[in-house]
Amino acid sequence: MISATRKWLRRNRTNFAVGFGLLGVGYVATQYVYSKITEARERMSDDRISRENLRRRFEQNQEDCTFTVLALLPTATENILEALSVESITQELQHKRAERLGRSSAASEGPHSELSSGTPSVADDDGKSLGSFRSESYVHASQMADSQVGSSEGKQQEPPRTRKSKAQLWNDLKINSITRAFTLLYTLSLLTLLTRIQLNLLGRRNYLSSVVSLASHPQQGTNKINLENRDDDNLEQAYGNDFETNRQYLTFSWWLLHRGWKEIMMKVEVAVKEVFGPLNPREDVTLEKLSELTIGARKKVEGATEQERRNNKWLSYLLPPQDQEDFVLRESGMSTSTQSLAKDTSTTPLRRLLDETSDLIDSPPFTHVLTRILDASFSVLVDQRVATQAFRTPPTTSPSPRIQELGNNDGVKTKLANILAVISRQAHSIGNGVPNEYLQAMEEVKDLEGFAAIIYSSNFEFEATGTGAGNSDTKSSPGTEHRAGPELGKVEGGSGKGQMVGAESEFDNAWGKALFDKATEGRPT
């Protein structure tokens, strides 16, 4: 039996060897395939986690932009309210009315009866108009202080001023009310875009710093990208985590808050005088007429044609010229003991940040997004606040009833003085409102988030190679090749109040670069 088994094994030993070899090869191949599948699964999981972390960091960055705007806006608001003091003009008009009523009461019975019978409507109109300004109005703290100081010391220090007539005061009230509200809207829009550019550029550099740190020190035992801003880890890094550079870069918003708004105000004031100047405050105005006037003023500020809007550069309002950069750093409290920025080379981090910011501001996408957020903010002012408070249009919650209401209320008129009272009160809501509905309306514009995503996710290769952002011969601004300027200047559907409507947004290709799988169903059309 044993010898027979040995003979059988000897005869089939080749078959056994082949079989065991096949089993071994199969086992090794199975383990190899399984390891590869596991590795691919882990790699996909890490990639998904990294993308989710990046998405979360980007969304957090946009929230930081909102809080930054809300923190900076009161500075510009205070300056604009002091420069265009509507409340002081209102007080002077009320003083004139009180003097007129005093003289009327002191007159004889005969002349008094003739005066009261001859001009009752004028007196009533003045009283109602001034009452609308006085009710629910705001007086800024600085203006109250100025009035108190003026009552005690103004008589001795200020030279006598030429007293203006009532018509001149009403004209000043009209121009200042509209100019103040429009200037605040433009300032808020530009501050929103500037803050998005600054914080997303710094967020991108911080992300790249984490990538470079991970590649340079793989022995640290982690394959996760650090998205937290650890500014004190290494101040000498070429990317992102240079705390002093970031501080200096962010302080350049000082220019818009203290200088740029003045240029905006002068430009808006010229447009308002030209468009709204011929109107009488007692004139009846429809909502459609107000919309046309608002569009006319915006065209003069932003440009009436696509070519004019492309040529209308906003850089001088947002950033100082190079010979004023050191002045801005000194005024904002930053140390300027180091080499002057005007003499810096294009390879320094701050110089590269400023150059890339300038490129982005001068790019067509910036003008496109600015027009979109201005559409949203002017819509809140005219469509919602003026329509409901001055024209007594009931507020709406859905778009479909809105179309019917506009058709039914197009003939409703109200005096321009009532509109001015609403606009005057809304200026305080634009600058100091909590929550700020105008800023919320801007943030709901999808193209604003798309513009921020493009900045956050593009030009990594130029940061990594140290190429200056301002070298126009080596690269173009991010996203400029993907879209053209919007076509503006038409009233949407014949009933959009204060909106300038453009062609369909062409952010699709750039949006694909943004590394965020955003849903496109909400994209503006």
Side-chain angles (χ1 to χ4, degrees):
M1 184 68 182
I2 295 176
S3 60
T5 302
R6 289 176 178 174
K7 291 180 181 179
W8 181 80
L9 291 174
R10 192 179 297 114
R11 287 195 307 266
N12 294 281
R13 60 186 177 184
T14 303
N15 295 333
F16 280 112
V18 172
F20 283 118
L22 291 175
L23 288 175
V25 171
Y27 177 77
V28 172
T30 301
Q31 292 298 318
Y32 176 79
V33 172
Y34 179 76
S35 65
K36 288 297 181 182
I37 293 175
T38 303
E39 181 182 350
R41 187 178 300 168
E42 291 177 353
R43 187 165 55 248
M44 292 173 61
S45 177
D46 291 341
D47 182 65
R48 184 178 66 255
I49 293 173
S50 298
R51 291 168 67 90
E52 288 299 323
N53 288 338
L54 183 58
R55 182 196 298 272
R56 186 172 61 253
R57 179 57 182 168
F58 172 78
E59 293 173 352
Q60 180 62 45
N61 209 31
Q62 308 320 303
E63 294 181 7
D64 294 342
C65 292
T66 301
F67 291 121
T68 303
V69 171
L70 291 175
L72 297 176
L73 182 60
T75 301
T77 300
E78 182 177 359
N79 294 332
I80 295 172
L81 293 180
E82 290 179 358
L84 298 170
S85 178
V86 175
E87 289 75 14
S88 62
I89 301 177
T90 304
Q91 292 175 1
E92 191 169 353
L93 279 169
Q94 291 171 346
H95 181 67
K96 279 185 172 292
R97 181 171 181 268
E99 290 180 348
R100 186 174 66 253
L101 292 177
R103 289 194 301 267
S104 299
S105 62
S108 61
E109 186 66 20
H112 174 73
S113 60
E114 293 176 0
L115 179 62
S116 60
S117 61
T119 60
S121 61
V122 174
D124 292 344
D125 286 346
D126 286 345
K128 293 179 181 179
S129 301
L130 290 174
S132 63
F133 272 94
R134 188 176 182 85
S135 62
E136 301 179 15
S137 62
Y138 301 84
V139 178
H140 199 262
S142 60
Q143 297 166 358
M144 183 179 296
D146 291 341
S147 63
Q148 294 174 353
V149 173
S151 62
S152 60
E153 301 178 359
K155 296 181 180 179
Q156 300 177 359
Q157 297 180 357
E158 294 183 0
R161 295 182 302 174
T162 304
R163 291 177 62 87
K164 294 184 178 180
S165 64
K166 186 179 69 173
Q168 291 174 331
L169 289 174
W170 271 108
N171 185 69
D172 291 346
L173 183 66
K174 173 186 63 179
I175 299 300
N176 285 9
S177 298
I178 301 174
T179 301
R180 185 171 72 171
F182 287 8
T183 301
L184 283 167
L185 286 179
Y186 278 103
T187 303
L188 176 58
S189 301
L190 291 172
L191 180 61
T192 300
L193 275 175
L194 177 62
T195 305
R196 296 270 173 163
I197 291 174
Q198 288 183 316
L199 294 189
N200 282 288
L201 282 178
L202 294 181
R204 184 188 73 189
R205 297 176 76 240
N206 180 48
Y207 176 77
L208 182 59
S209 175
S210 297
V211 175
V212 173
S213 177
L214 178 64
S216 303
H217 306 285
Q219 71 276 8
Q220 293 179 352
T222 177
N223 59 348
K224 300 296 190 299
I225 295 176
N226 177 23
L227 298 178
E228 298 299 326
N229 187 10
R230 302 177 185 273
D231 290 326
D232 56 350
D233 288 345
N234 186 356
L235 297 180
E236 300 301 325
Q237 290 188 69
Y239 321 98
N241 287 341
D242 188 342
F243 179 70
E244 189 64 23
T245 297
N246 294 350
R247 285 184 59 208
Q248 292 180 350
Y249 175 59
L250 292 175
T251 56
F252 277 89
S253 59
W254 183 95
W255 183 261
L256 173 62
L257 301 178
H258 295 85
R259 294 290 186 272
W261 69 266
K262 295 181 181 179
E263 300 180 16
I264 299 172
M265 181 187 67
M266 291 187 292
K267 190 173 185 178
V268 171
E269 187 175 14
V270 171
V272 169
K273 286 182 177 179
E274 187 172 349
V275 175
F276 289 89
L279 293 180
N280 191 306
R282 295 194 183 94
E283 182 177 343
D284 290 330
V285 179
T286 63
L287 191 58
E288 191 68 26
K289 176 67 173 178
L290 178 62
S291 170
E292 294 175 0
L293 294 172
T294 304
I295 290 291
R298 286 192 59 190
K299 285 182 178 180
K300 293 185 179 299
V301 175
E302 303 169 39
T305 64
E306 180 180 351
Q307 187 61 36
E308 289 180 2
R309 285 184 295 276
R310 285 181 177 273
N311 296 333
N312 186 19
K313 302 302 182 181
W314 300 93
L315 180 60
S316 61
Y317 306 108
L318 297 173
L319 291 179
Q322 288 196 9
D323 58 354
Q324 294 289 319
E325 290 175 348
D326 291 331
F327 166 78
V328 171
L329 292 177
R330 288 193 302 269
E331 288 296 318
S332 57
M334 302 297 296
S335 174
T336 57
S337 58
T338 57
Q339 186 180 9
S340 174
L341 270 176
K343 300 179 181 179
D344 279 352
T345 62
S346 60
T347 57
T348 59
L350 181 57
R351 181 79 268 157
R352 286 160 51 197
L353 282 170
L354 292 174
D355 289 343
E356 186 168 2
T357 304
S358 301
D359 288 345
L360 288 167
I361 294 173
D362 282 337
S363 66
F366 180 91
T367 304
H368 171 84
V369 176
L370 177 62
T371 302
R372 288 290 188 176
I373 63 177
L374 284 172
D375 286 346
S377 59
F378 274 96
S379 178
V380 173
L381 176 63
V382 181
D383 284 349
Q384 299 180 23
R385 293 295 158 255
V386 175
T388 56
Q389 298 180 21
F391 292 90
R392 304 303 178 185
T393 301
T396 58
T397 56
S398 61
S400 54
R402 178 65 176 162
I403 299 175
Q404 298 175 358
E405 290 170 8
L406 286 175
N408 296 333
N409 291 278
D410 277 346
V412 177
K413 296 182 179 180
T414 188
K415 293 189 180 300
L416 180 61
N418 298 331
I419 298 175
L420 296 179
V422 175
I423 292 177
S424 178
R425 293 194 298 268
Q426 285 302 306
H428 296 269
S429 299
I430 297 170
N432 297 314
V434 179
N436 194 318
E437 58 184 340
Y438 294 89
L439 181 58
Q440 292 176 350
M442 294 178 187
E443 292 178 342
E444 291 176 358
V445 177
K446 290 296 182 181
D447 283 350
L448 177 62
E449 188 175 6
F451 185 62
I454 293 169
I455 298 171
Y456 198 84
S457 63
S458 61
N459 277 10
F460 281 144
E461 64 275 14
F462 296 105
E463 285 277 6
T465 57
T467 302
N471 298 337
S472 57
D473 56 337
T474 58
K475 71 176 183 67
S476 60
S477 300
T480 54
E481 68 277 17
H482 297 298
R483 65 204 97 114
E487 298 178 1
L488 310 178
K490 296 182 180 179
V491 180
E492 183 178 10
S495 61
K497 305 300 183 288
Q499 291 192 8
M500 302 176 71
V501 181
E504 180 177 358
S505 172
E506 299 179 21
F507 275 86
D508 296 340
N509 293 333
W511 190 270
K513 289 177 55 182
L515 300 180
F516 312 105
D517 299 326
K518 293 288 185 183
T520 59
E521 65 270 10
R523 190 179 59 214
T525 57

